[in-house]
Amino acid sequence: MSPSRLTSMTARSRKSLAAWFRSRFAHDPVPRLRHPWTAIMATGILIGISAPSLGTVIADGWRPPRSGWTVPQLTVMPLGDSITFGTGSSTGSGYRANLRDQLTSHSEDVRFVGSQRSGEAPVREHEGHYGWKIGGLTGRTARWLTAAKPNVVLLHIGTNDMHDDYRADQAPKRLAELINEIVVAAPGVTVLVSSLVPSADPRTQERIARFNSAVPQVVTDYQDKAFQVEYVDMSRVTADDLRDDLHPNDDGYRKMADVFYRGIARAVAKGWVRERVAIGASPSGRPGTAIPFLAEELRARTEARVEQPRILRMAEERRGAGAVRGEGTEGGRRGERPGH
């Protein structure tokens, strides 16, 4: 079969292609695929992939944009805790250096931004806060977005909540609140929300697994409201890729970079990534608006807190922020103890 005939078939549905394949080779259990294009097509049908995607689909379902995709500028804010900071990597740069290496062929202007500094140039800037929980970022992230003006945010947060068993069952709600803050402050920004890398500690890993199972639905809730929020799956990182109980080694960070790269490529294919993103206003120029179900929940929580004695509110706020002192690189996990 000639390549031109195969090309003419690509408009057919996957079901039709499968039917064609079955009829073509029904009497030949080991078909002789005389042309390499036929072999490629057969492979695609067998694994349930339509012809236009052949050669571009990876096992985890990633479908990148056309070869050689470019964007004028990528201003990337890595946001999270010590894993975003780069703890455990030999250079201190974590996944950032490997990610930048992959992105530079797609943009002439790749910048990593944030108020924190670690690792090697040119990827020293980020918002990785050592030891912080989800609640430690909430209430501060809008200010960081205003200062850095990213068009892409890479969010990996929750490891300390899981390690300390800090209200672990409520962590997905806290994650949703943090995402809400981001999309209200910058409705046009692309947010890649990552599942957590694993832990070598069995109890922590159980909590991480439960948290990770809830993250896709959190992301879907925002996608349903037309926000540019994408889920990225870090399950490629395994316990063999850890430096210690929580932090990846260089191999683990390389895998994280690959996953974030694929997420950015998907966002570009969807037309999400714009050179400049308005911070503090929606693309229409109106102030950003919280997702209704979250707005109602947050309002109810706020009203309930008003009824609490002031000393209890202060204690809850301190616990919710992960007992963080200041905004430097050493936020505490419990009390005064430095965290991960």
Side-chain angles (χ1 to χ4, degrees):
M1 180 178 291
S2 68
S4 61
R5 183 177 176 186
L6 284 171
T7 301
S8 68
M9 294 175 58
T10 59
R12 300 184 184 183
S13 66
R14 184 185 308 170
K15 183 176 180 180
S16 298
L17 286 169
W20 171 84
F21 182 76
R22 286 194 297 270
S23 63
R24 173 68 177 79
F25 300 110
H27 303 292
D28 190 356
V30 185
R32 295 174 176 83
L33 305 180
R34 300 176 181 176
H35 195 285
W37 278 94
T38 310
I40 294 172
M41 176 62 76
T43 303
I45 294 168
L46 287 172
I47 62 177
I49 297 173
S50 60
S53 302
L54 296 178
T56 65
V57 179
I58 310 301
D60 62 4
W62 176 54
R63 299 186 183 212
R66 67 188 183 280
S67 177
W69 61 269
T70 60
V71 291
Q73 180 175 309
L74 284 170
T75 306
V76 181
M77 175 183 281
L79 177 61
D81 49 32
S82 57
I83 294 174
T84 299
F85 190 88
T87 302
S89 66
S90 59
T91 64
S93 300
Y95 64 75
R96 301 189 303 276
N98 288 300
L99 177 57
R100 185 182 185 278
D101 287 345
Q102 295 184 70
L103 294 176
T104 51
S105 63
H106 301 287
S107 178
E108 295 181 356
D109 189 359
V110 179
R111 309 175 188 180
F112 283 72
V113 296
S115 64
Q116 301 299 294
R117 306 287 185 274
S118 66
E120 299 178 345
V123 292
R124 289 180 52 78
E125 288 77 16
H126 57 86
E127 287 295 350
H129 295 264
Y130 195 94
W132 286 29
K133 299 180 175 69
I134 299 169
L137 302 182
T138 307
R140 296 175 169 89
T141 298
R143 183 170 71 253
W144 297 332
L145 290 168
T146 301
K149 296 178 173 56
N151 57 6
V152 176
V153 173
L154 310 179
L155 181 60
H156 182 284
I157 188 65
T159 298
N160 290 307
D161 301 68
M162 300 303 107
H163 185 261
D164 288 355
D165 196 12
Y166 174 73
R167 301 179 182 177
D169 292 342
Q170 299 299 313
K173 290 185 178 180
R174 295 196 296 276
L175 177 66
E177 293 169 11
L178 175 58
I179 299 171
N180 207 63
E181 179 177 346
I182 295 170
V183 300
V184 168
V189 76
T190 295
V191 187
L192 302 187
V193 182
S194 170
S195 63
L196 299 179
V197 299
S199 170
D201 175 70
R203 292 184 179 179
T204 300
Q205 179 54 33
E206 289 177 5
R207 293 188 284 269
I208 286 176
R210 288 195 297 271
F211 176 82
N212 283 348
S213 68
V215 174
Q217 184 58 52
V218 172
V219 171
T220 298
D221 290 338
Y222 282 91
Q223 291 180 339
D224 289 346
K225 298 295 181 180
F227 287 104
Q228 296 170 178
V229 181
E230 180 83 355
Y231 171 71
V232 293
D233 183 1
M234 288 293 169
S235 61
R236 291 183 60 198
V237 182
T238 70
D240 292 335
D241 300 314
L242 299 179
R243 177 78 66 182
D244 52 33
D245 280 357
L246 299 175
H247 301 98
N249 55 26
D250 288 342
D251 288 338
Y253 279 120
R254 275 191 288 272
K255 291 180 180 180
M256 289 188 72
D258 289 344
V259 173
F260 277 132
Y261 168 77
R262 296 176 182 189
I264 292 172
R266 289 198 303 271
V268 170
K270 294 178 179 181
W272 286 0
V273 180
R274 294 187 281 274
E275 185 174 359
R276 291 180 178 83
V277 175
I279 307 295
S282 67
S284 65
R286 295 188 299 271
T289 303
I291 288 182
F293 81 92
L294 277 177
E296 294 173 3
E297 179 179 314
L298 292 172
R299 183 166 55 251
R301 289 181 57 181
T302 300
E303 291 172 353
R305 284 159 61 90
V306 170
E307 303 301 322
Q308 294 177 323
R310 180 172 180 273
I311 187 67
L312 293 180
R313 292 203 308 271
M314 292 174 62
E316 181 181 346
E317 289 168 358
R318 188 172 186 275
R319 289 195 302 271
V324 174
R325 286 182 174 269
E327 297 177 11
T329 59
E330 294 185 357
R333 283 172 49 239
R334 283 180 175 169
E336 303 301 320
R337 288 197 299 121
H340 293 280

